[in-house]
Amino acid sequence: MGLQTIESQRITEISKAAVELRRRECQDVSEAHSESHLGNVARLGVAVGTLYGYSPSELLLVHTAGRFHDLIRSSTEDPTANDDGASANTAVYILGKENRRGRLQTSDKGREAIRYAIANHAEAPEWMLDPKRRNTLPESLPDKIRFALFVA
């Protein structure tokens, strides 16, 4: 399962190129952060979003966040390195550049939702930890993208 749009195909091409660049630069590309991992997270995130009734534009944002969530990884996996924040900023930079070049249309709101989701994807959203709120789905775009990415 996955998105089959021109936009999702372009996102996939960009993420593959980013992984290949890391390899060429002799950076560590472990199986946990490989192209197949990025593809799996993107597909599972889209499946989660589909299950919860996300719109096509929200599904594309989930796909994008899944494809870009591990663009930057330190070789030591040092948690103080803030790889998630660096991946989030890199994703927004790439998406903004592609948008300016006219190769991939993304809105500021969509890029910021992706940034938030990637930067926070490794930790359970606060509302999921609250027994009174955990069965209520998020309503804001950033929280929806984060939820699908976290579950994936």
Side-chain angles (χ1 to χ4, degrees):
M1 174 181 247
L3 293 179
Q4 299 300 319
T5 65
I6 292 171
E7 293 88 357
S8 67
Q9 290 171 2
R10 180 74 183 127
I11 293 297
T12 298
E13 291 169 8
I14 293 167
S15 75
K16 285 181 180 181
V19 170
E20 187 53 38
L21 177 63
R22 286 192 346 231
R23 279 197 177 98
R24 281 196 315 271
E25 292 178 347
C26 299
Q27 295 179 28
D28 182 47
V29 181
S30 67
E31 185 57 34
H33 303 110
S34 67
E35 164 56 27
S36 63
H37 167 70
L38 299 177
N40 288 338
V41 171
R43 281 187 295 281
L44 288 170
V46 168
V48 169
T50 300
L51 181 68
Y52 286 99
Y54 287 22
S55 71
S57 61
E58 290 168 338
L59 292 174
L60 182 60
L61 294 174
V62 169
H63 172 82
T64 305
R67 279 286 179 181
F68 288 178
H69 81 280
D70 278 340
L71 285 180
I72 306 295
R73 296 319 289 166
S74 59
S75 60
T76 62
E77 294 293 325
D78 177 2
T80 63
N82 193 16
D83 291 337
D84 295 338
S87 290
N89 291 334
T90 300
V92 169
Y93 170 78
I94 290 169
L95 292 169
K97 183 171 72 171
E98 293 294 307
N99 188 61
R100 287 187 300 279
R101 291 180 175 173
R103 294 194 278 191
L104 185 66
Q105 295 300 310
T106 56
S107 68
D108 290 343
K109 182 179 176 181
R111 287 190 300 273
E112 286 308 310
I114 288 168
R115 179 196 309 267
Y116 174 80
I118 292 173
N120 295 288
H121 81 275
E123 305 217 3
E126 303 77 34
W127 60 268
M128 285 184 79
L129 304 174
D130 181 349
K132 295 178 182 175
R133 295 178 27 205
R134 75 171 59 144
N135 292 324
T136 304
L137 292 177
E139 294 182 19
S140 76
L141 182 61
D143 284 332
K144 289 175 84 171
I145 306 309
R146 178 185 180 190
F147 170 70
L149 193 58
F150 174 77
V151 172

